[in-house]
Amino acid sequence: MPTAPFASRPSIRGLYVYHCAVAPVALHIANGMYGMILVKPEEGLAPVDREFYVMQGEIYTEESFVTAVLMSASASSTHWLTK
């Protein structure tokens, strides 16, 4: 699969979550294709001894939840996982 670099200059500081945004999103998130981006102010942040960024991920395995349905549906069509 071809890839291409990209660049962006964020204008609003903060901590943001990203994910690959390719269907099926639930399957990709379950495989760790997500993370955080910290956009610091131009003047920087106050000095600290340590920095911690904590992010929680979850996946539902019960049939009544959408994640399980998406993953089971996508699992039957993900022949590329075995290649």
Side-chain angles (χ1 to χ4, degrees), residues 64-83:
S64 61
F65 292 103
V66 175
T67 306
V69 174
L70 284 175
M71 289 192 61
S72 63
S74 63
S76 63
S77 63
T78 52
H79 63 280
W80 49 269
L81 287 175
T82 59
K83 291 185 178 182

Side-chain angles (χ1 to χ4, degrees), residues 28-51:
H28 293 170
I29 290 174
N31 285 304
M33 297 172 75
Y34 67 99
M36 294 187 296
I37 298 172
L38 175 62
V39 179
K40 296 180 180 181
E42 287 188 35
E43 65 275 7
L45 297 171
V48 294
D49 292 335
R50 294 185 181 108
E51 291 184 16

Side-chain angles (χ1 to χ4, degrees), residues 52-70:
F52 295 97
Y53 304 92
V54 179
M55 182 170 184
Q56 176 182 331
E58 55 192 44
I59 185 165
Y60 300 104
T61 58
E62 296 293 323
E63 286 286 330
S64 61
F65 292 103
V66 175
T67 306
V69 174
L70 284 175

Side-chain angles (χ1 to χ4, degrees), residues 5-9:
F6 74 96
S8 174
R9 184 171 183 94

